[in-house]
Amino acid sequence: MHRAQLIFRADASTRIGTGHVMRCLALAQAWQDTGGQAVFVVAPAAAALVARLRSAGVEVVPLEAQPGSETDAAYTANLARHLRASWVVVDGYHFCLDYRRRLKEAGLQLLLIDDHGSPPHGYADVIVNQNPYAHEGLYRDYSSHTRLLLGARYALLRREFALWQGWPRHIPTVARKVLVTLGGSDPDNVTKTILQALQRVAISKLEAIAVVGSNNPHERSLRAALQGAPCPIRLRHHVTDMPALMAWADMAISAAGCTSWELAFMGVPALVVTLATNQEPIADWLRTTGLAWVLGRPQQWSADDVARAVTR
């Protein structure tokens, strides 16, 4: 029997991180659970990320074109036609209106994963915005035929999180196990500042695990920062079971991105930093609701500020 193909178009790099690809993986896994086949078209990405996708049974097709370009759209449309796929999932801020228009003109149906609302006439049959602050007003200029799937009930959590549904979180009086996870890239090496901050926290038996993403270029610098550390701090690479680390942690220090909803699902108290402009609405919502302690942009705080926040 022919397995229905679903094309995913998302990219990952040191600049944009891995969040777009990883939340697409969550949707791909759900598609697989219905008996479908997921095919990812990605610009050249870290080998570890490609291996992660393939280990999940996803086919990965490298893109040999400028991401978001006319050539990219034509290649994606031709691949969909070849695989007899009628739907394409698009996730990324560089996929402009013209890109999406070309996919629609090729006769494809389009699912857009979005965060902040898109320009008018956005060429999408379905829009998924998993953020709790999403509302229909963000998409008032779309066609009445566009289906809107908005809010946290549509959170894109990967298959491994489902195993922890209903898990009882125990909150200790004093947090001693700290998880540091700043996304798949961290181009400005904010993780290093966080690790330096943790070494200034005067809490007995403190320990930490820092997740180093597949597109993080700073491993040597991070290892140097741990020399002579007064508390045990471990680096973990190519993590495929984030829920287990979140279950281990008493608290997390995280970027304000997709990880925020994973931490909320796992009930992990968190300190949140903002590493990009597109994370600011998430950080604002976390601050307003009191779901996390928000530190803001790295320019707004120092290692001492982080140490004081962890202690508090």
Side-chain angles (χ1 to χ4, degrees), residues 36-51:
Q37 175 66 40
V39 180
F40 275 58
V41 180
V42 297
L49 181 63
V50 173

PDB file of all heavy atoms in Angstrom, residues 36-51:
ATOM      1  N   GLY A  36       1.447   7.592   7.713  1.00  0.00           N
ATOM      2  CA  GLY A  36       2.040   8.383   6.647  1.00  0.00           C
ATOM      3  C   GLY A  36       3.562   8.397   6.676  1.00  0.00           C
ATOM      4  O   GLY A  36       4.193   7.948   7.635  1.00  0.00           O
ATOM      5  N   GLN A  37       4.150   8.934   5.628  1.00  0.00           N
ATOM      6  CA  GLN A  37       5.596   9.062   5.482  1.00  0.00           C
ATOM      7  C   GLN A  37       5.965  10.540   5.446  1.00  0.00           C
ATOM      8  O   GLN A  37       5.353  11.315   4.716  1.00  0.00           O
ATOM      9  CB  GLN A  37       6.082   8.394   4.192  1.00  0.00           C
ATOM     10  CG  GLN A  37       7.557   8.571   3.894  1.00  0.00           C
ATOM     11  CD  GLN A  37       8.455   7.876   4.911  1.00  0.00           C
ATOM     12  OE1 GLN A  37       8.165   6.771   5.353  1.00  0.00           O
ATOM     13  NE2 GLN A  37       9.541   8.534   5.287  1.00  0.00           N
ATOM     14  N   ALA A  38       6.972  10.927   6.254  1.00  0.00           N
ATOM     15  CA  ALA A  38       7.403  12.327   6.325  1.00  0.00           C
ATOM     16  C   ALA A  38       8.713  12.504   5.577  1.00  0.00           C
ATOM     17  O   ALA A  38       9.650  11.718   5.744  1.00  0.00           O
ATOM     18  CB  ALA A  38       7.573  12.757   7.778  1.00  0.00           C
ATOM     19  N   VAL A  39       8.778  13.559   4.763  1.00  0.00           N
ATOM     20  CA  VAL A  39       9.975  13.882   3.999  1.00  0.00           C
ATOM     21  C   VAL A  39      10.366  15.321   4.316  1.00  0.00           C
ATOM     22  O   VAL A  39       9.567  16.241   4.115  1.00  0.00           O
ATOM     23  CB  VAL A  39       9.739  13.723   2.478  1.00  0.00           C
ATOM     24  CG1 VAL A  39      11.007  14.071   1.706  1.00  0.00           C
ATOM     25  CG2 VAL A  39       9.275  12.308   2.159  1.00  0.00           C
ATOM     26  N   PHE A  40      11.578  15.519   4.828  1.00  0.00           N
ATOM     27  CA  PHE A  40      12.068  16.853   5.164  1.00  0.00           C
ATOM     28  C   PHE A  40      12.990  17.354   4.068  1.00  0.00           C
ATOM     29  O   PHE A  40      13.959  16.672   3.696  1.00  0.00           O
ATOM     30  CB  PHE A  40      12.850  16.823   6.483  1.00  0.00           C
ATOM     31  CG  PHE A  40      11.981  16.947   7.711  1.00  0.00           C
ATOM     32  CD1 PHE A  40      10.974  16.028   7.954  1.00  0.00           C
ATOM     33  CD2 PHE A  40      12.182  17.966   8.625  1.00  0.00           C
ATOM     34  CE1 PHE A  40      10.175  16.115   9.073  1.00  0.00           C
ATOM     35  CE2 PHE A  40      11.387  18.078   9.753  1.00  0.00           C
ATOM     36  CZ  PHE A  40      10.380  17.154   9.984  1.00  0.00           C
ATOM     37  N   VAL A  41      12.714  18.538   3.567  1.00  0.00           N
ATOM     38  CA  VAL A  41      13.624  19.232   2.655  1.00  0.00           C
ATOM     39  C   VAL A  41      14.330  20.294   3.481  1.00  0.00           C
ATOM     40  O   VAL A  41      13.690  21.205   4.011  1.00  0.00           O
ATOM     41  CB  VAL A  41      12.863  19.883   1.487  1.00  0.00           C
ATOM     42  CG1 VAL A  41      13.832  20.604   0.557  1.00  0.00           C
ATOM     43  CG2 VAL A  41      12.064  18.830   0.721  1.00  0.00           C
ATOM     44  N   VAL A  42      15.651  20.175   3.627  1.00  0.00           N
ATOM     45  CA  VAL A  42      16.392  21.079   4.502  1.00  0.00           C
ATOM     46  C   VAL A  42      17.642  21.585   3.799  1.00  0.00           C
ATOM     47  O   VAL A  42      18.276  20.856   3.025  1.00  0.00           O
ATOM     48  CB  VAL A  42      16.796  20.397   5.829  1.00  0.00           C
ATOM     49  CG1 VAL A  42      15.570  19.996   6.631  1.00  0.00           C
ATOM     50  CG2 VAL A  42      17.677  19.183   5.572  1.00  0.00           C
ATOM     51  N   ALA A  43      17.979  22.852   4.052  1.00  0.00           N
ATOM     52  CA  ALA A  43      19.281  23.359   3.620  1.00  0.00           C
ATOM     53  C   ALA A  43      20.355  22.604   4.402  1.00  0.00           C
ATOM     54  O   ALA A  43      20.069  22.025   5.453  1.00  0.00           O
ATOM     55  CB  ALA A  43      19.364  24.862   3.881  1.00  0.00           C
ATOM     56  N   PRO A  44      21.600  22.577   3.908  1.00  0.00           N
ATOM     57  CA  PRO A  44      22.650  21.826   4.591  1.00  0.00           C
ATOM     58  C   PRO A  44      22.643  22.096   6.095  1.00  0.00           C
ATOM     59  O   PRO A  44      22.720  23.238   6.546  1.00  0.00           O
ATOM     60  CB  PRO A  44      23.925  22.331   3.927  1.00  0.00           C
ATOM     61  CG  PRO A  44      23.484  22.690   2.532  1.00  0.00           C
ATOM     62  CD  PRO A  44      22.100  23.239   2.687  1.00  0.00           C
ATOM     63  N   ALA A  45      22.512  21.030   6.893  1.00  0.00           N
ATOM     64  CA  ALA A  45      22.392  21.144   8.345  1.00  0.00           C
ATOM     65  C   ALA A  45      23.447  20.276   9.012  1.00  0.00           C
ATOM     66  O   ALA A  45      24.105  19.444   8.365  1.00  0.00           O
ATOM     67  CB  ALA A  45      20.993  20.718   8.791  1.00  0.00           C
ATOM     68  N   ALA A  46      23.618  20.458  10.305  1.00  0.00           N
ATOM     69  CA  ALA A  46      24.588  19.671  11.065  1.00  0.00           C
ATOM     70  C   ALA A  46      24.278  18.185  10.926  1.00  0.00           C
ATOM     71  O   ALA A  46      23.112  17.771  10.926  1.00  0.00           O
ATOM     72  CB  ALA A  46      24.560  20.091  12.531  1.00  0.00           C
ATOM     73  N   ALA A  47      25.338  17.385  10.813  1.00  0.00           N
ATOM     74  CA  ALA A  47      25.163  15.940  10.622  1.00  0.00           C
ATOM     75  C   ALA A  47      24.361  15.322  11.750  1.00  0.00           C
ATOM     76  O   ALA A  47      23.556  14.408  11.528  1.00  0.00           O
ATOM     77  CB  ALA A  47      26.539  15.271  10.503  1.00  0.00           C
ATOM     78  N   ALA A  48      24.558  15.825  12.981  1.00  0.00           N
ATOM     79  CA  ALA A  48      23.839  15.267  14.123  1.00  0.00           C
ATOM     80  C   ALA A  48      22.339  15.489  14.000  1.00  0.00           C
ATOM     81  O   ALA A  48      21.537  14.617  14.367  1.00  0.00           O
ATOM     82  CB  ALA A  48      24.358  15.880  15.427  1.00  0.00           C
ATOM     83  N   LEU A  49      21.934  16.644  13.475  1.00  0.00           N
ATOM     84  CA  LEU A  49      20.510  16.923  13.314  1.00  0.00           C
ATOM     85  C   LEU A  49      19.915  16.034  12.230  1.00  0.00           C
ATOM     86  O   LEU A  49      18.816  15.489  12.394  1.00  0.00           O
ATOM     87  CB  LEU A  49      20.298  18.392  12.976  1.00  0.00           C
ATOM     88  CG  LEU A  49      18.839  18.826  12.801  1.00  0.00           C
ATOM     89  CD1 LEU A  49      18.062  18.647  14.102  1.00  0.00           C
ATOM     90  CD2 LEU A  49      18.757  20.274  12.328  1.00  0.00           C
ATOM     91  N   VAL A  50      20.623  15.873  11.129  1.00  0.00           N
ATOM     92  CA  VAL A  50      20.145  14.992  10.058  1.00  0.00           C
ATOM     93  C   VAL A  50      20.014  13.565  10.576  1.00  0.00           C
ATOM     94  O   VAL A  50      19.024  12.872  10.301  1.00  0.00           O
ATOM     95  CB  VAL A  50      21.099  15.057   8.851  1.00  0.00           C
ATOM     96  CG1 VAL A  50      20.696  14.021   7.798  1.00  0.00           C
ATOM     97  CG2 VAL A  50      21.103  16.453   8.236  1.00  0.00           C
ATOM     98  N   ALA A  51      21.000  13.120  11.369  1.00  0.00           N
ATOM     99  CA  ALA A  51      20.936  11.779  11.950  1.00  0.00           C
ATOM    100  C   ALA A  51      19.744  11.638  12.880  1.00  0.00           C
ATOM    101  O   ALA A  51      19.085  10.588  12.921  1.00  0.00           O
ATOM    102  CB  ALA A  51      22.233  11.476  12.695  1.00  0.00           C
TER     103      ALA A  51
END
